[in-house]
Amino acid sequence: MNIHNLMEEVVTYRINKLYDQVKEVKTSWLTCDCDNCRMDTISYVLNRIAPRYVVSGRGVTHARDVMEDPQVRADIDSLGLEGIRIVSGTKRPFHSSPRKECVVLANAEPVFNFPTIQGTVLEGNTFEPLVGATVVLKADGKPVVMADVTWANPINTYNSTKATYSFWPKAVSAKKENETKKFNFTLDITCPGYDPITYSFDLNLVSETVIKGELDTTVSLKIMDLVMFRSEIINNMDRMIKE
């Protein structure tokens, strides 16, 4: 049995179209459109959009239905333009070389490897996923550096991902193997018309000898659902308390 994610073809097609369109109008911020930059952008979008699985050749005919869904296309295009900007602004070393030459070997030194951090933002009145929120993962008051450019920080919530956000922090050096350390993080969340919220949490990690260069989706931290309330609701509650 061969399980396949249809979104790989859909996203690849749309991102290549976007790159061609942005290149055609000679947008000033597009610094490169090589195959590796395109693949990084495709990966950026696939990390943030809901998959559509089919088994073997059956169900591939549904790809056209997915392609023609205006909401899916809008979400992919929005994420795609965001990804193109990020990849263009932070190209990895040797980005224009063949992919096999772009591998950066990790040093065999002790490091703290972080799990992926995932969560969902909900609307306080309906408890439905809140689209349009901006989530920033911080440590010591500063945005945390991600493992690579396909992971954004800050990140926006979208309808296609049901307002789910995800981060993969870059590994940091340790003094020795099997060292234990507590890391404190905060999530700052804003959305137009809503009161901002901040959520703090800790991660206790044990250092390892090698940087994990590949994502392990079985190792992740699920953050409790975070709820945002409209500013006028909070203001009304404050007035009621004062009265």
Side-chain angles (χ1 to χ4, degrees):
M1 181 175 66
N2 183 23
I3 298 176
H4 181 66
N5 179 13
L6 280 178
M7 297 308 294
E8 292 182 16
E9 279 83 7
V10 176
V11 169
T12 298
Y13 174 80
R14 290 301 303 167
I15 295 306
N16 281 323
K17 290 284 289 185
L18 279 176
Y19 262 104
D20 293 341
Q21 291 169 3
V22 172
K23 186 178 180 180
E24 184 177 353
V25 298
K26 299 180 180 179
T27 305
S28 60
W29 50 261
L30 181 64
T31 58
C32 181
D33 72 326
C34 71
D35 288 343
N36 286 316
C37 285
R38 292 188 180 215
M39 283 193 288
D40 283 340
T41 303
I42 290 167
S43 178
Y44 178 90
V45 175
L46 286 172
N47 279 331
R48 290 160 179 81
I49 202 159
R52 302 283 183 90
Y53 293 110
V54 294
V55 178
S56 298
R58 294 176 296 170
V60 174
T61 53
H62 295 302
R64 181 176 295 276
D65 295 335
V66 175
M67 285 282 289
E68 294 177 353
D69 186 325
Q71 186 60 61
V72 171
R73 289 183 58 176
D75 289 341
I76 292 175
D77 288 356
S78 179
L79 282 166
L81 286 173
E82 182 179 281
I84 291 173
R85 283 181 176 274
I86 291 173
V87 171
S88 291
T90 53
K91 296 185 293 294
R92 53 189 174 70
F94 318 116
H95 67 97
S96 60
S97 302
R99 174 66 70 171
K100 64 181 180 180
E101 296 179 8
C102 295
V103 177
V104 179
L105 297 177
N107 294 328
E109 299 177 354
V111 293
F112 291 102
N113 287 302
F114 293 94
T116 57
I117 300 168
Q118 303 174 333
T120 303
V121 183
L122 302 180
E123 206 282 331
N125 186 43
T126 63
F127 286 93
E128 292 292 326
L130 180 60
V131 176
T134 300
V135 187
V136 187
L137 178 66
K138 293 183 177 181
D140 299 322
K142 299 178 181 178
V144 176
V145 177
M146 295 291 100
D148 62 55
V149 297
T150 64
W151 294 79
N153 186 23
I155 185 173
N156 297 321
T157 59
Y158 294 91
N159 180 65
S160 59
T161 57
K162 297 182 180 179
T164 296
Y165 57 86
S166 59
F167 299 101
W168 187 20
K170 183 178 180 180
V172 299
S173 298
K175 295 180 180 179
K176 59 182 180 180
E177 185 182 359
N178 294 322
E179 177 186 358
T180 301
K181 185 175 181 178
K182 178 188 290 187
F183 293 84
N184 179 258
F185 295 99
T186 60
L187 289 167
D188 287 350
I189 308 177
T190 57
C191 186
Y194 291 81
D195 265 27
I197 59 175
T198 298
Y199 177 79
S200 298
F201 63 95
D202 295 327
L203 266 178
N204 291 303
L205 300 178
V206 178
S207 62
E208 303 172 85
T209 55
V210 179
I211 295 176
K212 291 183 177 178
E214 296 183 358
L215 178 65
D216 183 355
T217 56
T218 64
V219 182
S220 65
L221 174 66
K222 179 66 171 68
I223 301 296
M224 61 180 288
D225 292 342
L226 299 176
V227 183
M228 301 193 76
F229 293 92
R230 290 190 177 277
S231 300
E232 60 265 26
I233 295 178
I234 300 296
N235 293 334
N236 290 337
M237 290 176 64
D238 289 340
R239 283 197 296 270
M240 291 175 62
I241 292 174
K242 291 179 181 179
E243 293 174 355

